[in-house]
Amino acid sequence: MTFFPRFDRLASTSVECAAVATSARTDTVRPHPEVSRAPRCAARQASESARRRGPRDCPSSGGGVLPPERQKEERTLAYNKPIPDPDPYTTQPFWDGAKAGKLMLPRCTNCNRAHFYPRMICPHCYSRQIEWFEASGEGWIHTFAVQHRAFGGWADEVPFVTAYIDLKEGDRMFTVLRGVDASKPETIKCGQPVKIEFEEASETVSIPFWRVV
Ligand SMILES: [Zn+2]
């Protein structure tokens, strides 16, 4: 579904906000007839080739997580959770920005709308005219859920709160929410303002998280 670590493996046994069940994004891009007829460009073919290299289970960033052997190589810090594998053709600017402490978002210059996760084709108007810009790093909680079961490094963190964040610039991002008490979900409110922060996961990757302000 979304975002950097394998949140799709997180099992929620207690959904605190009913809206979360219906908020699951299905951001599939239906190819425009003209797009599907267009010849494949070299970058697209390279991207597809790169995608076949390993598991690509991180659709919200347009990338996946590193295969287990590379997870071990890259894990130079205390961060013990899955580390994303930036895709040079779609998500690299996002991860470069994260490493520099900035939220970089793709925006279509045809319809002027931002989108997330990064894509080569605008999900709103199917244009390929995509530019990157530095976003404010501000947003609001759209909905949230308390996670009581998880796998890998995330198992050490339960219970924790996951949330969808409405970005100030538009579209939505999934996160593990910080600055909240998972044992008191009644204190967390949809609409609460949040700000982005970044945690260094390896020498080359920093991962964004959102914190209630
Ligand atoms: Zn567009």
Side-chain angles (χ1 to χ4, degrees):
M1 187 168 61
T2 66
F3 215 51
F4 323 95
R6 297 227 21 191
F7 290 127
D8 54 325
R9 286 183 176 171
L10 303 178
S12 171
T13 55
S14 171
V15 177
E16 303 296 341
C17 184
V20 79
T22 56
S23 71
R25 304 291 304 275
T26 51
D27 280 330
T28 51
V29 179
R30 282 176 299 165
H32 188 281
E34 290 185 10
V35 171
S36 60
R37 282 198 301 272
R40 288 180 171 182
C41 69
R44 178 62 178 266
Q45 287 176 331
S47 175
E48 290 177 353
S49 165
R51 189 166 291 116
R52 286 192 291 269
R53 288 196 311 259
R56 315 299 297 183
D57 44 13
C58 188
S60 88
S61 67
V65 294
L66 290 169
E69 63 277 11
R70 284 193 58 203
Q71 292 273 346
K72 214 173 270 183
E73 290 167 16
E74 299 266 334
R75 201 181 305 286
T76 56
L77 303 169
Y79 192 85
N80 65 345
K81 303 169 184 71
I83 298 174
D85 183 14
D87 183 331
Y89 301 105
T90 51
T91 63
Q92 195 67 55
F94 175 83
W95 294 110
D96 288 346
K99 192 66 187 166
K102 300 173 184 174
L103 172 60
M104 298 299 293
L105 291 179
R107 175 170 54 203
C108 169
T109 59
N110 185 49
C111 68
N112 208 33
R113 295 174 69 180
H115 62 267
F116 190 85
Y117 56 93
R119 276 159 275 196
M120 296 177 76
I121 297 175
C122 171
H124 307 295
C125 74
Y126 307 114
S127 166
R128 291 174 180 266
Q129 307 306 312
I130 306 294
E131 66 175 5
W132 288 83
F133 71 102
E134 183 179 352
S136 64
E138 298 173 9
W140 303 268
I141 298 174
H142 176 76
T143 189
F144 65 95
V146 177
Q147 307 295 337
H148 293 273
R149 291 173 64 103
F151 299 89
W154 285 107
D156 301 334
E157 306 263 342
V158 293
F160 57 88
V161 178
T162 52
Y164 275 111
I165 304 302
D166 284 329
L167 306 177
K168 189 175 180 182
E169 290 78 11
D171 220 327
R172 203 164 282 159
M173 188 181 287
F174 193 63
T175 190
V176 170
L177 193 60
R178 291 180 168 172
V180 292
D181 186 346
S183 67
K184 295 178 182 170
E186 68 277 9
T187 62
I188 308 168
K189 306 294 180 192
C190 294
Q192 268 184 292
V194 290
K195 275 197 128 179
I196 203 166
E197 63 186 28
F198 299 89
E199 180 175 348
E200 198 173 14
S202 74
E203 287 182 359
T204 55
V205 174
S206 290
I207 297 180
F209 292 93
W210 292 82
R211 179 179 292 275
V212 169
V213 292

